[in-house]
Amino acid sequence: MARPIRILVAKAGLDGHDRGAKVIAGALRDAGCEVIYTGLHQTPEQVVEAAIQEDVDGIGLSVLSGAHMTLFPRIKELLVKEGADDIVLFGGGTIPPEDVKPLLAAGVAGVFTPGTPMATIVDFVRRECGKRVGA
Amino acid sequence: MDDKVKKTKTNGHPPNGKAKDSSRGLSGEALWNAQFESTPKRPGAIDRTISDHPLKPLYGPEDLAGIDHDRDLGYPGEYPYTRGIHPTMYRGRLWTMRQFAGFGTAQQTNERFHFLLAQGQTGLSVAFDMPALMGYDSDHPRALGEVGKCGVAIATLQDMQDLMSGIDLGRISTSMTINCTAPVALALYIVTAESQGVPQDKLSGTLQADMLKEYIAQKEWIYPPEPSMRIITDMMSYCARHVPKWNTISISGYHIREAGSTAAQELAFTLAVGFAYVEAGIAAGMDVDEFAPRLSFFFNAHSDFFEEIAKYRAARRIWARHMRERYKAKNPRSWTMRFHTQTAGCSATAQQAQNNIMRVAFQALGAVLGGTQSLHTNSLDEVLALPTEENAQIALRTQQIIAYETGAANVIDPLGGSYFVEKLTSEMEAAAEEYFERIAEFGGVIPAIHAGFFQKEIADASYRYQREIENGERIIVGVNDFVQEEAESISLLNIDRAVELEQCRRVQAFRASRDGEAAQRALERLTDAARGDDNLMPHYLNCVRSKATLGEISEALVPVFGRYREPAVI
């Protein structure tokens, strides 16, 4: 049997809103994933370091402070730099619709805006992060 | 109450029995009961509040049993203040319409303040950006991407002076939603007022400065809880003597609710935190009546209309009872709970965002019927960004419609005496008392924070709620039912990256133009004072007068107080 998918649920920047991150962590865990939570106020460097150390299949980043256009691309850039680009970067938060496309273009694999059902995110994780488990 | 519901269900009627059979010889409540039980119910009808509190389908005179008018309700302006804190309530004066605003640079927010005042807003409320809230200057590496994003960027005295430019601080009251850096914000405000020629004893306003709820819910901190409590008691004591019209703490349930708590948890945790500040003030050697009259509260206005109204009424009663009976306060002003309310950001939906106008209106009406002293109505677009001017105006107009058109302000506590509302008020009070006992078992609020108690309770409640939405038990219009393809996109406020560059330049210019050694000396004196037991507030003021920045002042205390790290609970 394949090993469970490992996901790092991350909060980066100064934003302390962790309701969404915790709900997603719970949903992914109930769906059989191994979930590691970074805790709050991490720098992009700390997030990427934790992702590599924990050998996760995906990073789910939650940003509700408006800093998403800085934090997502920065984490993606660090993943590439560390040769860990196979880790799937996805996330959500208070992200206006017009920012979704630029984030996807910057290499974020999935962007989930407010109101997204948990099931949609679980399906995404199974599909996209599951590839790395199978590989 | 649960038992009562069960009893009615096991009255011996067959579930699908015909009403006329089962009602033979019955009258009054029993007849209604029989008819209710035997009639099919709407699928999806809900017998619990949004907070999972059980509800009967009907309340009656028996629900008032045990409620004593004089003991439990009294008259408005009279202990235990269940019906309101003023004898006149909105016949005397309306609530303060106080819209929270802040974005970009100080000048940009100053323009918004002038706009809101011109629209009839009656008080100011400052939203700070994340770096200011967390104790970093705008040009700190950790501030990257966050400057001016979810509030106004304030790092220097110049920023505060620009923010309040053209606004007479002797006449307006200002609320500042800021916590771990609250003493810095207060010092900046006092010194800004001085530069306008307004002495500190003429200032009126509110600081949030509720650090305990930060560890519980909002998660903005620098130092651990214990030194944070010292900073707060120093501010309470300083303001009691020198800034007597200032509300030193706004004890906030808002963020606890936004983090996903139930209404009862919001009520219980907020009041428990309030009592913790009272105990800290007493332990610091103050008389309870010296500081308690300046404590104020801040609640969430969520969607479950009656539950919210019961929550506000219960909150006043609990506070009055504990302040008089447990803490032996003698001044009636120490017994009265004054509170601000904001509509629930977490209830807003990105889907069909225009619907948020209606959600906000109902929530705001609940707050008014619950007797709030001031109110912020959210804008329809806040689920995605800071509000545009147009949307902020609709939100303010919503309050004006409630005040002037609905009649809600004409009669005091119009729901007082309602079988349902009185029963629910008593049940909310009982639920809070149960939580107080559980918190006491941990040894108080701070030990319960260290044990992760609140955090776990809130996370569990928010997960339950989310699952109810996911499995369709709870309908959220436009999200899991009545869904439509989004045709129109709403225009949003965009904070340009240029704001960050401009603000960093301003902060650097401010540092370059000051006497750097004087600032350094003031910072050292603050650090030294923290090692002893001097009141820190005069030292904060000295730092601001010497042009030390918000980030520098915050950092100066880290060597003494340390930095807080949260036990990560999921």
PDB file of all heavy atoms in Angstrom, chain B residues 518-550:
ATOM      1  N   ALA B 518      19.890  60.630  21.018  1.00  0.00           N
ATOM      2  CA  ALA B 518      18.799  60.887  21.973  1.00  0.00           C
ATOM      3  C   ALA B 518      17.791  59.739  21.924  1.00  0.00           C
ATOM      4  O   ALA B 518      17.309  59.276  22.970  1.00  0.00           O
ATOM      5  CB  ALA B 518      18.112  62.209  21.643  1.00  0.00           C
ATOM      6  N   ALA B 519      17.471  59.289  20.729  1.00  0.00           N
ATOM      7  CA  ALA B 519      16.534  58.172  20.587  1.00  0.00           C
ATOM      8  C   ALA B 519      17.103  56.929  21.268  1.00  0.00           C
ATOM      9  O   ALA B 519      16.398  56.209  21.991  1.00  0.00           O
ATOM     10  CB  ALA B 519      16.261  57.905  19.108  1.00  0.00           C
ATOM     11  N   GLN B 520      18.379  56.692  21.058  1.00  0.00           N
ATOM     12  CA  GLN B 520      19.041  55.526  21.643  1.00  0.00           C
ATOM     13  C   GLN B 520      18.988  55.576  23.174  1.00  0.00           C
ATOM     14  O   GLN B 520      18.703  54.575  23.828  1.00  0.00           O
ATOM     15  CB  GLN B 520      20.494  55.465  21.135  1.00  0.00           C
ATOM     16  CG  GLN B 520      21.168  54.111  21.317  1.00  0.00           C
ATOM     17  CD  GLN B 520      20.281  52.952  20.825  1.00  0.00           C
ATOM     18  OE1 GLN B 520      19.709  53.016  19.736  1.00  0.00           O
ATOM     19  NE2 GLN B 520      20.134  51.924  21.642  1.00  0.00           N
ATOM     20  N   ARG B 521      19.267  56.741  23.711  1.00  0.00           N
ATOM     21  CA  ARG B 521      19.244  56.883  25.182  1.00  0.00           C
ATOM     22  C   ARG B 521      17.838  56.613  25.738  1.00  0.00           C
ATOM     23  O   ARG B 521      17.680  55.951  26.760  1.00  0.00           O
ATOM     24  CB  ARG B 521      19.702  58.294  25.590  1.00  0.00           C
ATOM     25  CG  ARG B 521      21.230  58.473  25.614  1.00  0.00           C
ATOM     26  CD  ARG B 521      21.611  59.746  26.379  1.00  0.00           C
ATOM     27  NE  ARG B 521      21.009  60.951  25.819  1.00  0.00           N
ATOM     28  CZ  ARG B 521      21.491  61.647  24.769  1.00  0.00           C
ATOM     29  NH1 ARG B 521      22.596  61.255  24.175  1.00  0.00           N
ATOM     30  NH2 ARG B 521      20.861  62.728  24.334  1.00  0.00           N
ATOM     31  N   ALA B 522      16.843  57.117  25.038  1.00  0.00           N
ATOM     32  CA  ALA B 522      15.458  56.895  25.503  1.00  0.00           C
ATOM     33  C   ALA B 522      15.120  55.408  25.472  1.00  0.00           C
ATOM     34  O   ALA B 522      14.476  54.883  26.391  1.00  0.00           O
ATOM     35  CB  ALA B 522      14.488  57.683  24.614  1.00  0.00           C
ATOM     36  N   LEU B 523      15.574  54.729  24.434  1.00  0.00           N
ATOM     37  CA  LEU B 523      15.309  53.284  24.324  1.00  0.00           C
ATOM     38  C   LEU B 523      16.000  52.527  25.457  1.00  0.00           C
ATOM     39  O   LEU B 523      15.424  51.597  26.040  1.00  0.00           O
ATOM     40  CB  LEU B 523      15.791  52.761  22.959  1.00  0.00           C
ATOM     41  CG  LEU B 523      14.961  53.233  21.754  1.00  0.00           C
ATOM     42  CD1 LEU B 523      15.694  52.963  20.439  1.00  0.00           C
ATOM     43  CD2 LEU B 523      13.595  52.544  21.743  1.00  0.00           C
ATOM     44  N   GLU B 524      17.233  52.948  25.770  1.00  0.00           N
ATOM     45  CA  GLU B 524      17.957  52.272  26.862  1.00  0.00           C
ATOM     46  C   GLU B 524      17.248  52.471  28.198  1.00  0.00           C
ATOM     47  O   GLU B 524      17.181  51.563  29.023  1.00  0.00           O
ATOM     48  CB  GLU B 524      19.403  52.776  26.931  1.00  0.00           C
ATOM     49  CG  GLU B 524      20.283  52.122  25.859  1.00  0.00           C
ATOM     50  CD  GLU B 524      21.569  52.883  25.574  1.00  0.00           C
ATOM     51  OE1 GLU B 524      21.957  53.744  26.411  1.00  0.00           O
ATOM     52  OE2 GLU B 524      22.178  52.638  24.514  1.00  0.00           O
ATOM     53  N   ARG B 525      16.703  53.689  28.383  1.00  0.00           N
ATOM     54  CA  ARG B 525      15.989  53.937  29.639  1.00  0.00           C
ATOM     55  C   ARG B 525      14.728  53.068  29.740  1.00  0.00           C
ATOM     56  O   ARG B 525      14.366  52.587  30.810  1.00  0.00           O
ATOM     57  CB  ARG B 525      15.635  55.424  29.776  1.00  0.00           C
ATOM     58  CG  ARG B 525      16.845  56.256  30.236  1.00  0.00           C
ATOM     59  CD  ARG B 525      16.399  57.455  31.079  1.00  0.00           C
ATOM     60  NE  ARG B 525      15.698  58.445  30.284  1.00  0.00           N
ATOM     61  CZ  ARG B 525      16.317  59.354  29.505  1.00  0.00           C
ATOM     62  NH1 ARG B 525      17.634  59.375  29.429  1.00  0.00           N
ATOM     63  NH2 ARG B 525      15.620  60.229  28.825  1.00  0.00           N
ATOM     64  N   LEU B 526      14.085  52.841  28.598  1.00  0.00           N
ATOM     65  CA  LEU B 526      12.905  51.957  28.590  1.00  0.00           C
ATOM     66  C   LEU B 526      13.312  50.526  28.968  1.00  0.00           C
ATOM     67  O   LEU B 526      12.660  49.879  29.793  1.00  0.00           O
ATOM     68  CB  LEU B 526      12.246  51.983  27.198  1.00  0.00           C
ATOM     69  CG  LEU B 526      11.081  51.005  26.985  1.00  0.00           C
ATOM     70  CD1 LEU B 526       9.871  51.365  27.852  1.00  0.00           C
ATOM     71  CD2 LEU B 526      10.657  50.966  25.509  1.00  0.00           C
ATOM     72  N   THR B 527      14.394  50.066  28.368  1.00  0.00           N
ATOM     73  CA  THR B 527      14.870  48.705  28.677  1.00  0.00           C
ATOM     74  C   THR B 527      15.182  48.578  30.168  1.00  0.00           C
ATOM     75  O   THR B 527      14.791  47.593  30.813  1.00  0.00           O
ATOM     76  CB  THR B 527      16.135  48.382  27.854  1.00  0.00           C
ATOM     77  OG1 THR B 527      15.867  48.679  26.481  1.00  0.00           O
ATOM     78  CG2 THR B 527      16.533  46.917  27.990  1.00  0.00           C
ATOM     79  N   ASP B 528      15.889  49.589  30.715  1.00  0.00           N
ATOM     80  CA  ASP B 528      16.232  49.561  32.143  1.00  0.00           C
ATOM     81  C   ASP B 528      14.979  49.544  33.014  1.00  0.00           C
ATOM     82  O   ASP B 528      14.904  48.809  34.004  1.00  0.00           O
ATOM     83  CB  ASP B 528      17.070  50.794  32.517  1.00  0.00           C
ATOM     84  CG  ASP B 528      18.488  50.671  31.984  1.00  0.00           C
ATOM     85  OD1 ASP B 528      18.878  49.537  31.609  1.00  0.00           O
ATOM     86  OD2 ASP B 528      19.195  51.702  31.921  1.00  0.00           O
ATOM     87  N   ALA B 529      14.008  50.373  32.611  1.00  0.00           N
ATOM     88  CA  ALA B 529      12.784  50.452  33.414  1.00  0.00           C
ATOM     89  C   ALA B 529      12.066  49.104  33.448  1.00  0.00           C
ATOM     90  O   ALA B 529      11.479  48.721  34.461  1.00  0.00           O
ATOM     91  CB  ALA B 529      11.860  51.523  32.849  1.00  0.00           C
ATOM     92  N   ALA B 530      12.150  48.374  32.333  1.00  0.00           N
ATOM     93  CA  ALA B 530      11.472  47.072  32.277  1.00  0.00           C
ATOM     94  C   ALA B 530      12.098  46.080  33.251  1.00  0.00           C
ATOM     95  O   ALA B 530      11.428  45.178  33.746  1.00  0.00           O
ATOM     96  CB  ALA B 530      11.522  46.523  30.855  1.00  0.00           C
ATOM     97  N   ARG B 531      13.383  46.250  33.523  1.00  0.00           N
ATOM     98  CA  ARG B 531      14.045  45.356  34.486  1.00  0.00           C
ATOM     99  C   ARG B 531      13.554  45.616  35.912  1.00  0.00           C
ATOM    100  O   ARG B 531      13.533  44.705  36.721  1.00  0.00           O
ATOM    101  CB  ARG B 531      15.565  45.549  34.437  1.00  0.00           C
ATOM    102  CG  ARG B 531      16.172  45.057  33.148  1.00  0.00           C
ATOM    103  CD  ARG B 531      17.665  44.747  33.270  1.00  0.00           C
ATOM    104  NE  ARG B 531      18.099  44.114  32.031  1.00  0.00           N
ATOM    105  CZ  ARG B 531      18.571  44.783  30.969  1.00  0.00           C
ATOM    106  NH1 ARG B 531      18.740  46.088  31.027  1.00  0.00           N
ATOM    107  NH2 ARG B 531      18.895  44.138  29.876  1.00  0.00           N
ATOM    108  N   GLY B 532      13.178  46.854  36.193  1.00  0.00           N
ATOM    109  CA  GLY B 532      12.656  47.187  37.528  1.00  0.00           C
ATOM    110  C   GLY B 532      11.139  47.149  37.517  1.00  0.00           C
ATOM    111  O   GLY B 532      10.545  46.478  36.677  1.00  0.00           O
ATOM    112  N   ASP B 533      10.514  47.882  38.437  1.00  0.00           N
ATOM    113  CA  ASP B 533       9.051  47.873  38.390  1.00  0.00           C
ATOM    114  C   ASP B 533       8.439  49.266  38.239  1.00  0.00           C
ATOM    115  O   ASP B 533       7.297  49.498  38.628  1.00  0.00           O
ATOM    116  CB  ASP B 533       8.449  47.090  39.570  1.00  0.00           C
ATOM    117  CG  ASP B 533       9.008  47.566  40.892  1.00  0.00           C
ATOM    118  OD1 ASP B 533       9.643  48.640  40.893  1.00  0.00           O
ATOM    119  OD2 ASP B 533       8.808  46.872  41.913  1.00  0.00           O
ATOM    120  N   ASP B 534       9.185  50.165  37.625  1.00  0.00           N
ATOM    121  CA  ASP B 534       8.638  51.470  37.224  1.00  0.00           C
ATOM    122  C   ASP B 534       7.442  51.286  36.299  1.00  0.00           C
ATOM    123  O   ASP B 534       7.421  50.334  35.523  1.00  0.00           O
ATOM    124  CB  ASP B 534       9.683  52.211  36.357  1.00  0.00           C
ATOM    125  CG  ASP B 534      10.468  53.205  37.157  1.00  0.00           C
ATOM    126  OD1 ASP B 534      10.445  53.099  38.392  1.00  0.00           O
ATOM    127  OD2 ASP B 534      11.120  54.070  36.531  1.00  0.00           O
ATOM    128  N   ASN B 535       6.505  52.232  36.349  1.00  0.00           N
ATOM    129  CA  ASN B 535       5.473  52.244  35.304  1.00  0.00           C
ATOM    130  C   ASN B 535       6.152  52.544  33.966  1.00  0.00           C
ATOM    131  O   ASN B 535       6.916  53.508  33.842  1.00  0.00           O
ATOM    132  CB  ASN B 535       4.413  53.303  35.619  1.00  0.00           C
ATOM    133  CG  ASN B 535       3.218  53.193  34.685  1.00  0.00           C
ATOM    134  OD1 ASN B 535       3.377  53.119  33.463  1.00  0.00           O
ATOM    135  ND2 ASN B 535       2.026  53.170  35.255  1.00  0.00           N
ATOM    136  N   LEU B 536       5.890  51.723  32.960  1.00  0.00           N
ATOM    137  CA  LEU B 536       6.594  51.861  31.676  1.00  0.00           C
ATOM    138  C   LEU B 536       6.040  52.981  30.803  1.00  0.00           C
ATOM    139  O   LEU B 536       6.713  53.441  29.882  1.00  0.00           O
ATOM    140  CB  LEU B 536       6.525  50.548  30.901  1.00  0.00           C
ATOM    141  CG  LEU B 536       7.273  49.375  31.542  1.00  0.00           C
ATOM    142  CD1 LEU B 536       7.076  48.109  30.706  1.00  0.00           C
ATOM    143  CD2 LEU B 536       8.765  49.676  31.669  1.00  0.00           C
ATOM    144  N   MET B 537       4.825  53.424  31.076  1.00  0.00           N
ATOM    145  CA  MET B 537       4.169  54.365  30.152  1.00  0.00           C
ATOM    146  C   MET B 537       4.951  55.669  29.973  1.00  0.00           C
ATOM    147  O   MET B 537       5.148  56.104  28.831  1.00  0.00           O
ATOM    148  CB  MET B 537       2.725  54.610  30.640  1.00  0.00           C
ATOM    149  CG  MET B 537       1.760  55.026  29.558  1.00  0.00           C
ATOM    150  SD  MET B 537       1.705  53.939  28.128  1.00  0.00           S
ATOM    151  CE  MET B 537       1.690  55.175  26.829  1.00  0.00           C
ATOM    152  N   PRO B 538       5.448  56.311  31.050  1.00  0.00           N
ATOM    153  CA  PRO B 538       6.241  57.529  30.828  1.00  0.00           C
ATOM    154  C   PRO B 538       7.486  57.250  29.987  1.00  0.00           C
ATOM    155  O   PRO B 538       7.930  58.128  29.222  1.00  0.00           O
ATOM    156  CB  PRO B 538       6.631  57.959  32.253  1.00  0.00           C
ATOM    157  CG  PRO B 538       5.592  57.351  33.136  1.00  0.00           C
ATOM    158  CD  PRO B 538       5.225  56.054  32.485  1.00  0.00           C
ATOM    159  N   HIS B 539       8.019  56.050  30.084  1.00  0.00           N
ATOM    160  CA  HIS B 539       9.201  55.711  29.279  1.00  0.00           C
ATOM    161  C   HIS B 539       8.845  55.531  27.804  1.00  0.00           C
ATOM    162  O   HIS B 539       9.614  55.888  26.923  1.00  0.00           O
ATOM    163  CB  HIS B 539       9.874  54.454  29.843  1.00  0.00           C
ATOM    164  CG  HIS B 539      10.402  54.656  31.233  1.00  0.00           C
ATOM    165  ND1 HIS B 539      11.614  55.262  31.486  1.00  0.00           N
ATOM    166  CD2 HIS B 539       9.860  54.380  32.444  1.00  0.00           C
ATOM    167  CE1 HIS B 539      11.793  55.328  32.810  1.00  0.00           C
ATOM    168  NE2 HIS B 539      10.740  54.802  33.404  1.00  0.00           N
ATOM    169  N   TYR B 540       7.672  54.955  27.545  1.00  0.00           N
ATOM    170  CA  TYR B 540       7.203  54.883  26.157  1.00  0.00           C
ATOM    171  C   TYR B 540       7.062  56.297  25.587  1.00  0.00           C
ATOM    172  O   TYR B 540       7.467  56.577  24.459  1.00  0.00           O
ATOM    173  CB  TYR B 540       5.839  54.192  26.084  1.00  0.00           C
ATOM    174  CG  TYR B 540       5.866  52.679  26.092  1.00  0.00           C
ATOM    175  CD1 TYR B 540       5.445  51.948  27.199  1.00  0.00           C
ATOM    176  CD2 TYR B 540       6.262  51.964  24.959  1.00  0.00           C
ATOM    177  CE1 TYR B 540       5.432  50.561  27.198  1.00  0.00           C
ATOM    178  CE2 TYR B 540       6.246  50.572  24.946  1.00  0.00           C
ATOM    179  CZ  TYR B 540       5.828  49.878  26.067  1.00  0.00           C
ATOM    180  OH  TYR B 540       5.815  48.507  26.049  1.00  0.00           O
ATOM    181  N   LEU B 541       6.466  57.197  26.389  1.00  0.00           N
ATOM    182  CA  LEU B 541       6.271  58.579  25.917  1.00  0.00           C
ATOM    183  C   LEU B 541       7.609  59.253  25.647  1.00  0.00           C
ATOM    184  O   LEU B 541       7.766  59.964  24.653  1.00  0.00           O
ATOM    185  CB  LEU B 541       5.473  59.377  26.959  1.00  0.00           C
ATOM    186  CG  LEU B 541       3.976  59.081  26.963  1.00  0.00           C
ATOM    187  CD1 LEU B 541       3.333  59.501  28.274  1.00  0.00           C
ATOM    188  CD2 LEU B 541       3.285  59.790  25.786  1.00  0.00           C
ATOM    189  N   ASN B 542       8.554  59.009  26.528  1.00  0.00           N
ATOM    190  CA  ASN B 542       9.881  59.581  26.350  1.00  0.00           C
ATOM    191  C   ASN B 542      10.525  59.087  25.049  1.00  0.00           C
ATOM    192  O   ASN B 542      11.152  59.845  24.307  1.00  0.00           O
ATOM    193  CB  ASN B 542      10.741  59.214  27.574  1.00  0.00           C
ATOM    194  CG  ASN B 542      12.113  59.825  27.501  1.00  0.00           C
ATOM    195  OD1 ASN B 542      12.271  60.977  27.109  1.00  0.00           O
ATOM    196  ND2 ASN B 542      13.131  59.037  27.851  1.00  0.00           N
ATOM    197  N   CYS B 543      10.364  57.800  24.746  1.00  0.00           N
ATOM    198  CA  CYS B 543      10.903  57.239  23.499  1.00  0.00           C
ATOM    199  C   CYS B 543      10.277  57.931  22.288  1.00  0.00           C
ATOM    200  O   CYS B 543      10.969  58.289  21.333  1.00  0.00           O
ATOM    201  CB  CYS B 543      10.622  55.740  23.416  1.00  0.00           C
ATOM    202  SG  CYS B 543      11.656  54.754  24.505  1.00  0.00           S
ATOM    203  N   VAL B 544       8.942  58.114  22.337  1.00  0.00           N
ATOM    204  CA  VAL B 544       8.259  58.734  21.192  1.00  0.00           C
ATOM    205  C   VAL B 544       8.698  60.185  21.031  1.00  0.00           C
ATOM    206  O   VAL B 544       8.965  60.650  19.918  1.00  0.00           O
ATOM    207  CB  VAL B 544       6.727  58.621  21.362  1.00  0.00           C
ATOM    208  CG1 VAL B 544       6.001  59.543  20.390  1.00  0.00           C
ATOM    209  CG2 VAL B 544       6.281  57.183  21.143  1.00  0.00           C
ATOM    210  N   ARG B 545       8.811  60.903  22.158  1.00  0.00           N
ATOM    211  CA  ARG B 545       9.261  62.304  22.071  1.00  0.00           C
ATOM    212  C   ARG B 545      10.682  62.376  21.537  1.00  0.00           C
ATOM    213  O   ARG B 545      11.057  63.331  20.875  1.00  0.00           O
ATOM    214  CB  ARG B 545       9.189  62.973  23.449  1.00  0.00           C
ATOM    215  CG  ARG B 545       7.772  63.236  23.893  1.00  0.00           C
ATOM    216  CD  ARG B 545       7.689  64.243  25.033  1.00  0.00           C
ATOM    217  NE  ARG B 545       6.303  64.329  25.473  1.00  0.00           N
ATOM    218  CZ  ARG B 545       5.810  63.671  26.520  1.00  0.00           C
ATOM    219  NH1 ARG B 545       6.608  62.909  27.259  1.00  0.00           N
ATOM    220  NH2 ARG B 545       4.541  63.784  26.828  1.00  0.00           N
ATOM    221  N   SER B 546      11.480  61.343  21.802  1.00  0.00           N
ATOM    222  CA  SER B 546      12.856  61.311  21.296  1.00  0.00           C
ATOM    223  C   SER B 546      12.930  60.715  19.895  1.00  0.00           C
ATOM    224  O   SER B 546      14.002  60.397  19.410  1.00  0.00           O
ATOM    225  CB  SER B 546      13.743  60.502  22.246  1.00  0.00           C
ATOM    226  OG  SER B 546      13.614  60.964  23.561  1.00  0.00           O
ATOM    227  N   LYS B 547      11.749  60.485  19.306  1.00  0.00           N
ATOM    228  CA  LYS B 547      11.642  60.029  17.919  1.00  0.00           C
ATOM    229  C   LYS B 547      12.165  58.621  17.689  1.00  0.00           C
ATOM    230  O   LYS B 547      12.629  58.288  16.584  1.00  0.00           O
ATOM    231  CB  LYS B 547      12.307  61.033  16.964  1.00  0.00           C
ATOM    232  CG  LYS B 547      11.638  62.402  17.045  1.00  0.00           C
ATOM    233  CD  LYS B 547      12.024  63.277  15.890  1.00  0.00           C
ATOM    234  CE  LYS B 547      11.163  64.533  15.880  1.00  0.00           C
ATOM    235  NZ  LYS B 547      11.536  65.471  14.854  1.00  0.00           N
ATOM    236  N   ALA B 548      12.093  57.786  18.710  1.00  0.00           N
ATOM    237  CA  ALA B 548      12.326  56.364  18.468  1.00  0.00           C
ATOM    238  C   ALA B 548      11.117  55.840  17.688  1.00  0.00           C
ATOM    239  O   ALA B 548      10.012  56.374  17.801  1.00  0.00           O
ATOM    240  CB  ALA B 548      12.474  55.622  19.792  1.00  0.00           C
ATOM    241  N   THR B 549      11.313  54.797  16.885  1.00  0.00           N
ATOM    242  CA  THR B 549      10.213  54.279  16.067  1.00  0.00           C
ATOM    243  C   THR B 549       9.506  53.129  16.777  1.00  0.00           C
ATOM    244  O   THR B 549      10.017  52.559  17.740  1.00  0.00           O
ATOM    245  CB  THR B 549      10.740  53.756  14.719  1.00  0.00           C
ATOM    246  OG1 THR B 549      11.600  52.638  14.995  1.00  0.00           O
ATOM    247  CG2 THR B 549      11.503  54.829  13.961  1.00  0.00           C
ATOM    248  N   LEU B 550       8.348  52.792  16.239  1.00  0.00           N
ATOM    249  CA  LEU B 550       7.539  51.718  16.820  1.00  0.00           C
ATOM    250  C   LEU B 550       8.316  50.402  16.890  1.00  0.00           C
ATOM    251  O   LEU B 550       8.277  49.694  17.906  1.00  0.00           O
ATOM    252  CB  LEU B 550       6.264  51.564  15.986  1.00  0.00           C
ATOM    253  CG  LEU B 550       5.304  50.423  16.320  1.00  0.00           C
ATOM    254  CD1 LEU B 550       3.864  50.894  16.199  1.00  0.00           C
ATOM    255  CD2 LEU B 550       5.512  49.220  15.418  1.00  0.00           C
TER     256      LEU B 550
END
